[in-house]
Amino acid sequence: MLFMVRMDVHVPHELDPAKFDALKATEKARAEDLQRSGKWRHLWRIAGQYANISIFDVADAGELHELMISLPLFPYMTTEVTALCRHPSAISAD
Amino acid sequence: MLFMVRMDVHVPHELDPAKFDALKATEKARAEDLQRSGKWRHLWRIAGQYANISIFDVADAGELHELMISLPLFPYMTTEVTALCRHPSAISAD
Amino acid sequence: MLFMVRMDVHVPHELDPAKFDALKATEKARAEDLQRSGKWRHLWRIAGQYANISIFDVADAGELHELMISLPLFPYMTTEVTALCRHPSAISAD
Amino acid sequence: MLFMVRMDVHVPHELDPAKFDALKATEKARAEDLQRSGKWRHLWRIAGQYANISIFDVADAGELHELMISLPLFPYMTTEVTALCRHPSAISAD
Amino acid sequence: MLFMVRMDVHVPHELDPAKFDALKATEKARAEDLQRSGKWRHLWRIAGQYANISIFDVADAGELHELMISLPLFPYMTTEVTALCRHPSAISAD
Amino acid sequence: MLFMVRMDVHVPHELDPAKFDALKATEKARAEDLQRSGKWRHLWRIAGQYANISIFDVADAGELHELMISLPLFPYMTTEVTALCRHPSAISAD
Amino acid sequence: MLFMVRMDVHVPHELDPAKFDALKATEKARAEDLQRSGKWRHLWRIAGQYANISIFDVADAGELHELMISLPLFPYMTTEVTALCRHPSAISAD
Amino acid sequence: MLFMVRMDVHVPHELDPAKFDALKATEKARAEDLQRSGKWRHLWRIAGQYANISIFDVADAGELHELMISLPLFPYMTTEVTALCRHPSAISAD
Amino acid sequence: MLFMVRMDVHVPHELDPAKFDALKATEKARAEDLQRSGKWRHLWRIAGQYANISIFDVADAGELHELMISLPLFPYMTTEVTALCRHPSAISAD
Amino acid sequence: MLFMVRMDVHVPHELDPAKFDALKATEKARAEDLQRSGKWRHLWRIAGQYANISIFDVADAGELHELMISLPLFPYMTTEVTALCRHPSAISAD
């Protein structure tokens, strides 16, 4: 099942830069793993913002949630979640 | 270049159903053509709403606009457009 | 899988009352069928508004969408859809 | 009487993690007690967010308020409260 | 139990003035009856707008809803409902 | 003249609890005094939120403002102010 | 007592132009009368919009309301009302 | 003096297409005249929407308003107006 | 040229009270000077809020900006700016 | 390709003024360089706010993003990005 998630990252200014860099490196590794597994199907940057648009392909909302809270930057994000399904005019199963 | 577009369709209640069915059939054909051309890369239904999330792969904003106004249902839509680019953690060029 | 849907019904004032009564009767029958099937698990009126809060238990977002567009009043609704999952403090599988 | 409450939890980044873990443990125990008592009838996680949708069955708004402010995480929440009642198409008394 | 309701009335311009005057007269009579019964405890005009702030004293949300949909102008209103309870600093039971 | 004021209190998490308790005690005393004087005519808690709905009966907007800024918790509030007047369907002068 | 009112005028496209011109002429005469009386103290156009910012000097909210509903274009307006009072740094009683 | 104006055009579906085409032709001629005069300095289409971003160079807000209401499509627009001035980091007087 | 500005002041709770009092005193002096010069034509308190509505009479947007950033409390404000012009029904040039 | 970007700068009050002055000086130099390169085509101050409206002329959304995150004040900004294209009534290619 597909979900679109918009993630906006808000870095508190008082956060130690070294700690934040470490978080970002772990986030990157986690994001790459999830993409390789096929669960994080698309990951795009929103131009001009510290934000992304992602498409997840997961078993259900429970798996999406586990995946989201496993992200090291999750505590610094606001998210919008949209459940998607096949469009009658889509020419492929996705 | 990639754009995400959210389209919400608002059908005026006084619209002649036959005319609207004809519009929808033309819209479907146009959407399928554009998907086959590779320009309308993804088309997903937002569950529970008369709305979709689309990803377009076009030369620039001008081509996106031409494409959007060529849709028979464009006069009945509100749209949100988001310019996308490659995310540093994406594992493919997409 | 569970979804919460908020439905707000907007009746155009120019709609023929007899036609609208017929739509409401069909809607009621459809809602009762879906509740009996277990797919429309809860249906509550929002006090003071022509709106409801519903909990659906469906296979996935695709089934939710089919179900929603099968409602006779769907063309007169605005909807908000929220994907739910088990809360770590919930005492039942729900 | 039924109320739907949406709770969004905002953890200040400077909060001591040990203190927050203790708060969460107390919150979980309190939530489980209230569910067992029948007053907190449903508790669902909103997928992808540190937020929940809850249905409370209480005597009145006063009891709802006492219950809400007894939650250890209440000072870290924003809440939305919606009063519910029986829907004419609901097949059970709830 | 107390509820605050804000009602904003939207009169469609194409509504027949005589019909609307009749509706308003019936609404006024109904509002006066409900005030006399003690259920519609306060009714104030919002200055400069076709809107009011009302306080209802009813058994529960179900009674509030019955009362609201019994108003002749209900189909022309948008409403906001807020459940109230006793404030710890209030000097009277209300 | 009547004003409705909605007050939402936001307590900064770093505020010293003893200082905040003192502020709340002073606020309560001040609120009780103003109610006794007849100027703060109604004070209701909004169920489930650290917020209230109040009705003030003052000479004019200037007196309302003096009264509001005299509240010890005013610096921690956001407020919404609505000017009220007699409704043509109200059965008492209120 | 001073009130600021923002009025946005929405002309339904199906309104008969001659009827609308007559309404505007009556509105203009009424606005000029109220300005001459001192009650409508300032009247400014918001640049680029069919909207105005007005300052009224009236006895109370009730007089403001009577005045507003006496405007021929009132049924075609949305309004925002803000109660004003003397600012401690103002150099005149205004 | 510079103003940025965003114009969103909303065409009522019941408008006669021939009348609307005539309006658009007149609008185009008027827009070209104003551009040639130097007063409408920039005119850009917002990609994917029936909307534009414009920069006007006018004597003051009064001239901007005259100019805006002279546009044949003005009755079908919503507008947002932003007053601009020289930025301290701009390298030209603009 | 006239501008309406709404200023909402947000005082950070950790600000040293003595420093803030000094800022307010300087702000008051500056506001009085600007009123005497005729450039800050009106200054009203919004009842019940730490906010004001101001009317400025300046040469252009550039002068307005210089004036605004010269205010000692500017870093603690959010502002809304509205460009005004003469209303066709205004009886004075204002 | 053209993008309009609105940037609102939010300076945390606890930021060291010397550090912030240094950031602003670097930002100014960077902004001037980008203007000279032709990529930051217009830069206007929004009157009365710590905000600007900018027009960028870049190859695509990727280049826009690189440019934006290279700005020293980017971590202190919120941004809105709008993709622009040629308007059919524009008299010049830009």
Side-chain angles (χ1 to χ4, degrees), chain G residues 67-85:
Chain G
L67 206 148
M68 289 297 297
I69 63 176
S70 79
L71 299 178
L73 291 178
F74 182 73
Y76 303 98
M77 286 178 191
T78 53
T79 64
E80 281 178 87
V81 176
T82 307
L84 302 177
C85 55

Side-chain angles (χ1 to χ4, degrees), chain C residues 54-88:
Chain C
S54 291
I55 306 291
F56 290 96
D57 184 0
V58 288
D60 56 18
E63 189 179 16
L64 175 72
H65 190 73
E66 289 313 307
L67 206 148
M68 289 297 296
I69 63 176
S70 80
L71 299 178
L73 290 178
F74 183 74
Y76 303 98
M77 288 177 189
T78 53
T79 64
E80 281 179 87
V81 176
T82 306
L84 302 176
C85 55
R86 189 166 183 182
H87 192 283

Side-chain angles (χ1 to χ4, degrees), chain C:
Chain C
M1 199 190 134
L2 298 184
F3 287 95
M4 178 178 75
V5 181
R6 178 189 167 127
M7 309 179 206
D8 286 78
V9 182
H10 309 281
V11 192
H13 297 301
E14 64 276 16
L15 193 65
D16 173 41
K19 186 185 164 197
F20 189 59
D21 285 347
L23 278 173
K24 278 196 295 188
T26 327
E27 176 90 10
K28 190 177 198 305
R30 179 88 183 111
E32 289 169 353
D33 278 356
L34 286 165
Q35 287 172 84
R36 272 184 224 106
S37 76
K39 292 188 187 301
W40 195 331
R41 199 186 282 190
H42 299 287
L43 168 57
W44 296 294
R45 170 65 75 214
I46 297 178
Q49 305 190 334
Y50 195 171
N52 71 66
I53 294 289
S54 291
I55 306 291
F56 290 96
D57 184 0
V58 288
D60 56 18
E63 189 179 16
L64 175 72
H65 190 73
E66 289 313 307
L67 206 148
M68 289 297 296
I69 63 176
S70 80
L71 299 178
L73 290 178
F74 183 74
Y76 303 98
M77 288 177 189
T78 53
T79 64
E80 281 179 87
V81 176
T82 306
L84 302 176
C85 55
R86 189 166 183 182
H87 192 283
S89 301
I91 59 172
S92 68
D94 201 325

Side-chain angles (χ1 to χ4, degrees), chain F residues 3-90:
Chain F
F3 287 97
M4 178 177 75
V5 182
R6 177 186 168 129
M7 309 179 205
D8 286 78
V9 182
H10 310 280
V11 192
H13 298 301
E14 64 277 17
L15 193 65
D16 173 41
K19 186 185 163 197
F20 189 59
D21 285 347
L23 278 173
K24 279 196 296 189
T26 327
E27 176 90 10
K28 189 177 199 303
R30 179 87 182 111
E32 289 170 353
D33 277 357
L34 286 165
Q35 287 172 85
R36 271 184 225 106
S37 75
K39 292 188 187 300
W40 195 331
R41 199 186 282 189
H42 298 287
L43 168 56
W44 296 294
R45 171 65 75 214
I46 298 178
Q49 305 190 335
Y50 195 171
N52 72 65
I53 294 289
S54 292
I55 306 291
F56 290 95
D57 184 1
V58 289
D60 56 18
E63 188 179 19
L64 176 72
H65 191 72
E66 289 314 306
L67 207 148
M68 290 296 297
I69 63 175
S70 80
L71 299 178
L73 290 178
F74 182 73
Y76 303 98
M77 287 176 191
T78 53
T79 63
E80 282 179 87
V81 176
T82 306
L84 303 175
C85 56
R86 189 165 182 183
H87 192 284
S89 301

Side-chain angles (χ1 to χ4, degrees), chain H residues 44-91:
Chain H
W44 296 293
R45 171 65 75 213
I46 298 179
Q49 305 189 335
Y50 196 171
N52 72 65
I53 294 289
S54 292
I55 306 291
F56 291 95
D57 184 0
V58 289
D60 56 18
E63 188 180 15
L64 176 73
H65 191 72
E66 289 313 307
L67 207 148
M68 289 297 298
I69 63 176
S70 79
L71 299 178
L73 291 178
F74 183 74
Y76 303 99
M77 287 177 190
T78 53
T79 65
E80 281 178 86
V81 176
T82 307
L84 302 177
C85 56
R86 190 166 182 182
H87 193 284
S89 301
I91 59 171

Side-chain angles (χ1 to χ4, degrees), chain E residues 42-78:
Chain E
H42 297 287
L43 168 57
W44 296 294
R45 171 64 75 214
I46 297 178
Q49 305 190 335
Y50 195 170
N52 72 66
I53 294 289
S54 291
I55 306 290
F56 291 95
D57 184 0
V58 288
D60 55 18
E63 189 180 15
L64 175 72
H65 191 73
E66 289 313 307
L67 206 147
M68 290 297 297
I69 63 176
S70 79
L71 299 178
L73 290 178
F74 183 73
Y76 304 97
M77 287 177 190
T78 53

Side-chain angles (χ1 to χ4, degrees), chain F residues 1 3 58-62 83, chain G residues 1-4 39 41 55-61 63-64 82-85, chain I residues 47:
Chain F
M1 201 192 132
F3 287 97
V58 289
D60 56 18
Chain G
M1 199 191 135
L2 297 184
F3 287 95
M4 178 177 76
K39 293 188 187 301
R41 199 186 281 190
I55 306 291
F56 291 96
D57 183 1
V58 288
D60 56 18
E63 189 180 17
L64 176 72
T82 307
L84 302 177
C85 55

Side-chain angles (χ1 to χ4, degrees), chain B residues 1 7 12-13 17-18 25 29 31 36 41 45 48 52 55 57-58 62 72 78 83 85 87 90-91:
Chain B
M1 200 191 136
M7 308 179 207
H13 297 301
R36 273 185 222 106
R41 199 186 282 190
R45 171 65 74 215
N52 72 67
I55 306 291
D57 184 0
V58 289
T78 53
C85 55
H87 193 285
I91 59 171

